Amino acid sequence: RGIRVGYTPDVLTDATAELSVALLLSACRRLPEAAEQVKSGGWTTWKPLWMCGYGLSDSTVGIIGLGRIGQAVARRLKPFGVRKFLYTGSGPKPESAAEFGAEFVPLTRLAEESDFVVVTCALTPATQGMCNKDFFGRMKKTSVFINTSRGAVVNQEDLYDALASGQIAAAGLDVTTPEPLPTDHPLLSLKNCVILPHIGSATYATRSTMAVLAANNLLAGLRGEPMPHELKL
């Protein structure tokens, strides 16, 4: 119908990457569970293995989708002492991967070798339900799964089974299907699953920049001028 569409690209890359790292650390070091122990009186004397989790030092991190956000995540994780980065996607990105020495591998190998899997890909017919029973079955029992892309990339029933059975160690999700996730959803009953309410872009600076870009797109559209960021339909 000739309706012009403006959008706000690139502005949430850093905020989402920061949230991805925060979610990863929360899941692998069991931060919500540990905080709850303080509140509930579970914190008593020191015990050798109580509240132990998994660290990033000398680990292998697999990134599904080495786009802007995937690269920003890798850039933030590298100083933690990650030994190796693997990535998968629609094709190799040698220039982007060079910064991290990241190796392009098939999805199956990424699942098998990664200590941490971070999903930052776009939702497409090819990626829908990609993280499923077969994928989780290939992961290490000590691996941690993080998704900050879109909920539908993950088969949530298969993820629940993997977490509940100890097939994988933990998961952190900022995106689910549906959103909001019903409060009685099985995933919310698991101690080893950290779920956030899709707050990847939720910093004051990012939301302010998004609002300004949207307003400028709108004003340009009303004036019949080129939008700063227009989706070409």
Side-chain angles (χ1 to χ4, degrees):
R1 300 185 181 181
I3 300 170
R4 297 172 64 188
V5 177
Y7 69 122
T8 58
D10 304 340
V11 297
L12 49 70
T13 298
D14 287 339
T16 304
E18 290 171 4
L19 192 280
S20 300
V21 173
L23 192 52
L24 187 154
L25 291 170
S26 293
C28 75
R29 294 301 302 271
R30 302 169 67 179
L31 300 189
E33 189 181 349
E36 185 55 40
Q37 289 294 305
V38 177
K39 295 178 181 178
S40 67
W43 182 16
T44 56
T45 58
W46 182 85
K47 296 181 279 293
L49 298 179
W50 187 64
M51 285 290 111
C52 282
Y54 299 94
L56 279 157
S57 182
D58 204 33
S59 67
T60 296
V61 173
I63 298 178
I64 300 178
L66 197 67
R68 287 190 299 267
I69 294 173
Q71 291 170 49
V73 169
R75 200 168 291 124
R76 285 158 173 78
L77 290 179
K78 191 175 181 181
F80 281 88
V82 172
R83 177 174 54 84
K84 187 177 185 180
F85 284 99
L86 304 175
Y87 75 102
T88 192
S90 55
K93 294 185 173 182
E95 292 181 5
S96 301
E99 179 182 347
F100 320 105
E103 182 183 354
F104 181 75
V105 296
L107 183 67
T108 51
R109 186 179 156 197
L110 183 143
E112 291 163 358
E113 297 185 14
S114 297
D115 299 298
F116 300 90
V117 173
V118 184
V119 185
T120 57
C121 63
L123 176 61
T124 67
T127 63
Q128 184 160 358
M130 177 173 62
C131 299
N132 54 20
K133 182 177 182 179
D134 178 71
F135 180 86
F136 297 124
R138 293 176 183 274
M139 288 176 65
K140 303 175 186 178
K141 292 185 183 298
T142 54
S143 292
V144 176
F145 176 81
I146 304 298
N147 184 20
T148 54
S149 60
R150 288 292 181 268
V153 172
V154 177
N155 181 310
Q156 290 181 169
E157 289 74 21
D158 291 347
L159 175 60
Y160 173 84
D161 291 341
L163 289 165
S165 67
Q167 177 61 52
I168 65 174
L173 311 175
D174 187 42
V175 288
T176 60
T177 305
E179 293 182 359
L181 195 66
T183 56
D184 61 351
H185 194 281
L187 282 172
L188 293 172
S189 69
L190 298 172
K191 290 182 178 180
N192 58 343
C193 188
V194 181
I195 301 180
L196 303 179
H198 204 154
I199 55 170
S201 67
T203 68
Y204 289 110
T206 298
R207 294 286 173 85
S208 177
T209 302
M210 290 170 72
V212 170
L213 278 177
N216 285 333
N217 283 338
L218 177 61
L219 291 170
L222 290 171
R223 296 181 187 125
E225 300 169 356
M227 293 180 182
H229 297 282
E230 184 167 1
L231 187 65
K232 300 301 180 184
L233 301 173

